Amino acid sequence: MTETRSGGRLTRRRLALALPPALLGTGCAAPRLGTGRPGEPVVLTLLSHYASGELKAALQGPVDEWNATHDRVRVATKAVEFTDLLTTFMVRQAAGQGADILQPYCLWNGQLVRAGVLRPAPARHAEEIRRGYGAAAVGSSSVAGRVYGYPTETQTYALYYNKRLLREAGVDRPPGTWRELERTAYRTARRDGYGNTLVQGFGLSTYDDSTTVGQTLALLNAAGGRFVTADGRGTAIDSPAGRAVLDLQHRLVAKGASDPGVNVYKAFASGQVAMVISAGWWTANLKSLMGDAYRDVGVAPVPLPEADGRHATLSTGFMLGVNTASRHPEEAWEFLRWLNTEKVRGATRMSALQASVGSLTGRADDMRTLLGTGGDPNLRPFLDALGYAVPEPNGPGAQQAKSLLRKNIEALWTGRQSVDEALRTTRRQVDQEVSRSW
């Protein structure tokens, strides 16, 4: 995930790259495992990044259920680590070995569509998706207005805060505005006599996309701005809203409330960060890492520039779609419909799968049902945000554009660029990339 559950980084790989032997050994085989002839079932391959642990087990449950109740069509799961997922899609497609069903990070959808990897959803399925999911999830799973798959994991961004650190600083509630955010960040920040950071008031971190680009875009959306233009062919961050976000971040660093060199994933869990903006998947990790100290964690909406503003934040996600090279697209779409739309005990199988690992889908009604049975209350602000989140831009050059934005944000945070330089360089570099990608 941008967001990876291990905090790993996304890298842009090219089609010509060769995969290492270990990856080739774990990737998916060509989708020719069954023909559907009498006595020989069709076997669909599903390639995801659910390669280990609770995610792998959570996906295997409904797949086993399908296989136990369907004789003619079976599903075989294959997985690679998230950092290898895009490369695997592209290289195996070129080799004629693509899986029937793919689970891409939605940021890549434009690139995969342009490369001829993703099949558009048939009209019936596209209608089910538009009707059953929130606008942000549908937007993430679409390219140029056309739906390409069923949204699965949907992540929105909100403000995590440490109740104890705020309370010790005399702050009785999380900030609702940027002015309150700054005031709270300065009051909670602490350094030792040598200037070393003991507590970041507001966590800015160069560790990964989620804590660099993700929270920057969440603040940008909250300010009414956007990263790229509506047609996806240029950047829109060099705007009053974009300038306000970078000015805010620059002040936090310059005044010592933020230390971009700190890994906020570790520091927040150990009580060394008072506030940080991140995605909802982190709640499950924090609960596991912090134990009893997790009771100090609260979640609130992303603060707004002014108190009377309209809430907005960033949404990212994954989806399940069908490969253009699949020999059995109808069967693949039917499996995805079964997994993502049929309800069992009030929620779809995919929603139950995501809830079991502390995540969300874009089906707000499902998630309310599941959270109403004892789920983590810290997930509720992320659920509420499904109604106002803005999907991450996913045009053909989106991954490279995101990487360029991250590079310039980090240059600002570390004093190598001014706000003016960061905005100007981002506009020039991203405009060049996205205009070339179409």
Side-chain angles (χ1 to χ4, degrees):
M1 43 198 87
T2 314
E3 279 79 33
T4 69
R5 296 182 186 274
S6 61
R9 298 183 179 185
L10 288 176
T11 55
R12 186 173 188 260
R13 313 286 180 89
R14 297 186 180 275
L15 187 60
L17 290 178
L19 288 177
L23 183 55
L24 288 169
T26 58
C28 67
R32 293 193 287 271
L33 300 181
T35 65
R37 291 193 294 266
E40 185 177 355
V42 168
V43 179
L44 304 171
T45 52
L46 187 163
L47 177 60
S48 76
H49 63 292
Y50 290 177
S52 60
E54 62 180 4
L55 287 168
K56 181 178 181 179
L59 176 61
Q60 196 59 47
V63 169
D64 287 346
E65 180 189 352
W66 168 276
N67 288 337
T69 55
H70 293 77
D71 294 328
R72 194 180 70 84
V73 179
R74 303 294 181 88
V75 177
T77 59
K78 303 287 183 178
V80 296
E81 294 298 330
F82 175 75
T83 49
D84 294 315
L85 190 59
L86 178 58
T87 309
T88 306
F89 290 156
M90 300 295 282
V91 175
R92 287 194 170 273
Q93 189 79 3
Q97 296 180 326
D100 294 280
I101 299 170
L102 307 174
Q103 188 182 24
Y105 174 35
C106 291
L107 179 75
W108 307 331
N109 283 352
Q111 181 177 345
L112 293 172
V113 168
R114 185 186 59 179
V117 176
L118 287 175
R119 183 185 297 266
R124 178 170 70 90
H125 294 273
E127 178 57 31
E128 286 195 56
I129 292 164
R130 291 192 181 98
R131 184 175 60 246
Y133 295 84
V138 175
S140 292
S141 297
S142 303
V143 176
R146 194 168 192 180
V147 177
Y148 282 86
Y150 281 90
T152 56
E153 178 182 341
T154 300
Q155 300 295 340
T156 56
Y157 278 64
L159 180 77
Y160 287 88
Y161 62 97
N162 186 304
K163 301 173 188 177
R164 177 182 58 80
L165 292 176
L166 265 63
R167 186 171 58 250
E168 291 174 352
V171 180
D172 59 3
R173 59 185 175 83
T177 66
W178 288 6
R179 181 175 298 178
E180 292 174 353
L181 175 68
E182 281 197 77
R183 186 164 59 242
T184 302
Y186 301 142
R187 291 179 67 171
T188 53
R190 287 172 33 220
R191 293 178 180 266
D192 64 18
Y194 300 97
N196 299 311
T197 299
L198 298 175
V199 175
Q200 277 199 81
F202 184 78
L204 296 178
S205 177
T206 60
Y207 182 74
D208 72 348
D209 285 347
S210 181
T211 53
T212 304
V213 177
Q215 68 167 299
T216 298
L217 294 187
L219 287 165
L220 180 65
N221 292 337
R226 59 191 308 157
F227 176 31
V228 298
T229 56
D231 63 7
R233 297 173 186 267
T235 182
I237 196 170
D238 191 0
S239 64
R243 181 175 297 277
V245 172
L246 296 195
D247 277 337
L248 170 65
Q249 294 178 339
H250 181 260
R251 288 194 301 272
L252 289 168
V253 174
K255 295 182 179 181
S258 299
D259 184 351
V262 173
N263 178 347
V264 294
Y265 289 113
K266 294 181 178 179
F268 187 88
S270 59
Q272 296 173 304
V273 175
M275 301 175 292
V276 64
I277 293 171
S278 194
W281 64 266
W282 200 21
T283 57
N285 290 57
L286 288 172
K287 190 179 298 184
S288 174
L289 287 169
M290 296 178 70
D292 290 343
Y294 181 73
R295 65 177 178 270
D296 292 331
V297 177
V299 177
V302 172
L304 299 170
E306 302 294 338
D308 58 353
R310 178 177 296 182
H311 281 297
T313 189
L314 176 70
S315 169
T316 65
F318 288 76
M319 71 166 207
L320 283 167
V322 176
N323 195 332
T324 56
S326 174
R327 294 185 175 185
H328 310 289
E330 292 184 8
E331 291 86 348
W333 284 113
E334 177 55 27
F335 168 73
L336 294 183
R337 187 203 63 76
W338 174 90
L339 179 65
N340 293 280
T341 69
E342 285 192 9
K343 296 202 174 187
V344 180
R345 293 185 293 279
T348 64
R349 294 173 176 86
M350 179 53 68
S351 290
L353 184 165
Q354 294 299 332
S356 74
V357 295
S359 186
L360 302 174
T361 67
R363 287 184 171 274
D365 56 343
D366 278 5
M367 301 316 301
R368 289 191 184 94
T369 297
L370 292 164
L371 292 180
T373 60
D376 185 347
N378 276 339
L379 285 175
R380 292 190 178 277
F382 299 102
L383 171 58
D384 294 340
L386 290 173
Y388 57 75
V390 178
E392 189 174 30
N394 67 355
Q399 179 60 74
Q400 181 65 1
K402 186 174 186 177
S403 298
L404 291 168
L405 176 59
R406 176 181 176 181
K407 178 181 177 181
N408 286 292
I409 292 170
E410 292 180 353
L412 170 69
W413 291 356
T414 54
R416 290 178 286 119
Q417 286 187 356
S418 67
V419 170
D420 283 341
E421 289 169 334
L423 290 168
R424 185 169 60 249
T425 305
T426 299
R427 184 184 65 225
R428 174 176 54 80
Q429 292 177 343
V430 174
D431 279 354
Q432 183 179 16
E433 178 61 33
V434 298
S435 62
R436 179 175 59 225
S437 299
W438 284 87

